[in-house]
């Protein structure tokens, strides 16, 4: 099954999922679409996020994708049920893989979640966790400064460190927390700083890595694996400022992997 | 969907998968069948393993299971394709989840596998790894003494340590190995000793934990989750010596979890 896999995100954050998919699924061709023009989705209404997400999905369906990954927690929280019901290809969001990994990792059942306002308000993570285990203690914290900072290409240095420290302060008092879910695909870019701030006793779960792995499982179960490809050239589309997008993509895709990517501009808005 | 999940193994090894499923899927009722009478399967022919496995499956189908986990690497290697083709419920083996977890964990693409003679000879792990990434370097080693030792209830102490050290000697010369798959569900019981012998630089992957997690994913994708149960009483069947089986089960299910289990004898052989 040599058709591509589609990956959508509100901006550059989903590139952390793409990167993990390139690493864990080197036979698969990937097409990524980041809606950088309208990023961030976090503070937007459910209706707006749904409309924008469908515009992205329509763009990718024309490219004959065999599976869709929603590499954005806000879009997953607001659209996954609708997409699952209406599309005839498998749809994988970032929330359930992260929730499952946290349930596997936790020893004391105290799990923290950080994400955008939209994701936190949606209650999608506590719901996903409770569906699996009703006795999990969940503490969710919205971190509005993180996405705009990462979209400006700032993942390290003093500004990043100060912002993370200040924003995560409310978690400091939670002595019991042994697992923290990065409930936004932008956050893995801040993972080294986040790990430093919360300390080594907390297992930090990257929903990006977990989503890539679960995609691998679904490809096998649904018999959609590409059995012959190897490191194909991937296509990356952005709806917004190409110069900034290109700069951030280069920061993420170090180690020579960048040459396997073609970056293009996309126009997806409908009225 | 409140029907039970079926779990089969050649003996007590699959109890490590059961234990992880109890922990990661506390809403689900589990029915386990260990063919202790005819254990180990490792040195048996493909035909024999297939016949015995089908006898186990028929026993569990009568209990109306909604999903089948083959918690035995040898049985997975020899029967999973046949079972997937012939059963109309999802079938999950232990090989692919372990392979996927190893691909996620490895940094240098050098992966070791230890298992029974049957599993190693079948080539199922190298095949599963290569299906995902053709550039993985694989070294497989059969460890025939491990299963009989664990089935005698010996997981710790001098005998266990000496046996593991001696058996794993051929891995010592492989300087590059950064990931080792425990390709037999008995081996997680020896994990502390194995980790000590291979050293902290090697990530040791328990196919038991990974299989439980992938079962969680498949339950969601196939919409088979039990949404209301919580810590139901599980049923465990054994075809062989009940006294020894009970003793080992007690050793595995410490922490009070043991009281959630009912252990019974089963007669499954057909001519």
């Amino acid at each position: 099954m040599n058709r591509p896999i589609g990956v959508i995100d509100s901006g550059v954050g989903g590139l952390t999922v793409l990167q993990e998919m390139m690493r864990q699924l080197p036979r698969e061709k990937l097409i990524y679409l980041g809606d950088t023009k309208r990023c961030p989705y976090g503070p937007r209404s459910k209706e707006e996020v749904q409309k924008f997400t469908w515009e992205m999905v329509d763009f990718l369906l024309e490219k004959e994708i065999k599976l869709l990954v929603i590499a954005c927690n806000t879009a997953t929280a607001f659209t996954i049920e609708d997409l699952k019901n209406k599309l005839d290809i498998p749809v994988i969001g970032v929330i359930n893989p992260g929730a499952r990994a946290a349930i596997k990792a936790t020893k004391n059942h105290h799990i923290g979640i950080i994400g955008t306002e939209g994701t936190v308000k949606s209650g999608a993570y506590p719901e996903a966790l409770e569906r699996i285990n009703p006795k999990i203690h969940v503490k969710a914290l919205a971190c509005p400064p993180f996405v705009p900072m990462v979209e400006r290409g700032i993942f390290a240095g003093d500004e990043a460190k100060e912002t993370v420290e200040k924003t995560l302060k409310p978690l400091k008092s939670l002595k019991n927390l042994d697992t923290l879910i990065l409930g936004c695909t932008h956050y893995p870019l801040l993972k080294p700083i986040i790990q430093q701030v919360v300390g080594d006793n907390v297992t930090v779960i990257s929903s990006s890595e977990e989503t890539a792995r679960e995609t691998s499982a679904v490809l096998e179960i649904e018999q959609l694996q590409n059995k012959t490809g190897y490191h194909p050239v991937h296509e990356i589309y952005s709806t917004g400022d190409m110069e900034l997008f290109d700069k951030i993509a280069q920061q993420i895709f170090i180690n020579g992997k960048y040459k396997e990517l073609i970056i293009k501009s996309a126009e997806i808005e409908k009225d």
Side-chain angles (χ1 to χ4, degrees), chain A:
Chain A
M1 171 62 94
N2 300 348
R3 279 159 52 197
I5 296 172
V7 183
I8 55 174
D9 180 43
S10 62
V12 301
L15 292 174
T16 61
V17 180
L18 193 78
Q19 186 188 27
E20 272 302 313
M21 289 175 70
M22 286 166 65
R23 193 176 74 81
Q24 294 183 41
L25 294 165
R27 289 189 181 281
E28 302 294 338
K29 177 177 169 88
L30 310 171
I31 303 183
Y32 181 93
L33 173 57
D35 193 9
T36 40
K37 187 173 174 186
R38 298 180 290 190
C39 187
Y41 280 11
R44 291 185 188 275
S45 72
K46 183 172 174 173
E47 290 65 34
E48 234 178 351
V49 171
Q50 285 176 330
K51 179 176 178 291
F52 295 176
T53 303
W54 268 108
E55 286 173 359
M56 288 201 278
V57 170
D58 286 339
F59 178 85
L60 288 180
L61 286 177
E62 282 182 21
K63 308 216 170 278
E64 302 202 322
I65 54 171
K66 64 182 173 185
L67 182 149
L68 175 69
V69 174
I70 314 172
C72 170
N73 283 267
T74 312
T76 300
F78 289 152
T79 70
I80 189 160
E81 287 309 319
D82 190 39
L83 290 170
K84 275 189 174 179
N85 288 335
K86 291 185 184 150
L87 296 179
D88 57 4
I89 54 173
V91 179
I92 298 173
V94 274
I95 291 175
N96 284 314
R100 273 189 279 276
I103 285 196
K104 172 168 172 277
T106 185
K107 302 259 187 286
N108 69 9
H109 292 182
H110 286 261
I111 295 175
I113 294 145
I114 54 176
T116 66
E117 297 118 303
T119 302
V120 168
K121 266 191 214 147
S122 76
Y125 271 102
E127 237 173 67
L129 290 165
E130 200 189 310
R131 220 167 21 234
I132 305 172
N133 186 344
K135 292 287 169 71
I136 293 283
H137 305 272
V138 185
K139 170 78 189 171
L141 177 69
C143 304
F146 289 2
V147 171
M149 187 171 73
V150 169
E151 290 281 333
R152 283 190 290 126
I154 295 166
F155 329 142
D158 288 346
E159 183 186 342
K161 205 172 163 198
E162 274 161 37
T163 306
V164 171
E165 255 173 7
K166 202 173 145 192
T167 312
L168 295 188
K169 224 167 219 164
L171 293 182
K172 276 275 174 190
S173 59
L174 304 170
K175 298 272 174 257
N176 275 331
L177 215 67
D178 78 346
T179 307
L180 179 68
I181 301 175
L182 304 183
C184 172
T185 51
H186 286 72
Y187 298 2
L189 296 167
L190 300 168
K191 191 176 174 188
I193 301 180
I194 293 170
Q195 184 76 66
Q196 209 182 324
V197 169
V198 297
D200 284 343
N201 293 331
V202 177
T203 305
V204 177
I205 304 279
S206 153
S207 46
S208 304
E209 285 175 30
E210 305 305 334
T211 301
R213 190 182 141 186
E214 226 160 86
T215 302
S216 178
V218 173
L219 285 174
E220 186 219 329
I221 291 156
E222 305 282 343
Q223 300 189 293
L224 292 173
Q225 285 171 316
N226 182 336
K227 289 181 182 152
T228 55
Y230 187 62
H231 282 312
V233 175
H234 309 295
E235 293 168 38
I236 301 196
Y237 294 88
S238 160
T239 59
D241 180 337
M242 290 311 291
E243 203 176 320
L244 181 61
F245 189 82
D246 202 70
K247 183 187 140 211
I248 296 173
Q250 291 205 41
Q251 277 177 272
I252 297 174
F253 294 103
I254 43 170
N255 298 332
K257 286 225 171 63
Y258 187 63
K259 66 178 184 290
E260 294 160 27
L261 307 173
I262 292 172
I263 300 189
K264 301 180 206 174
S265 177
E267 182 65 62
I268 64 168
E269 280 176 71
K270 296 170 191 169
D271 12 78

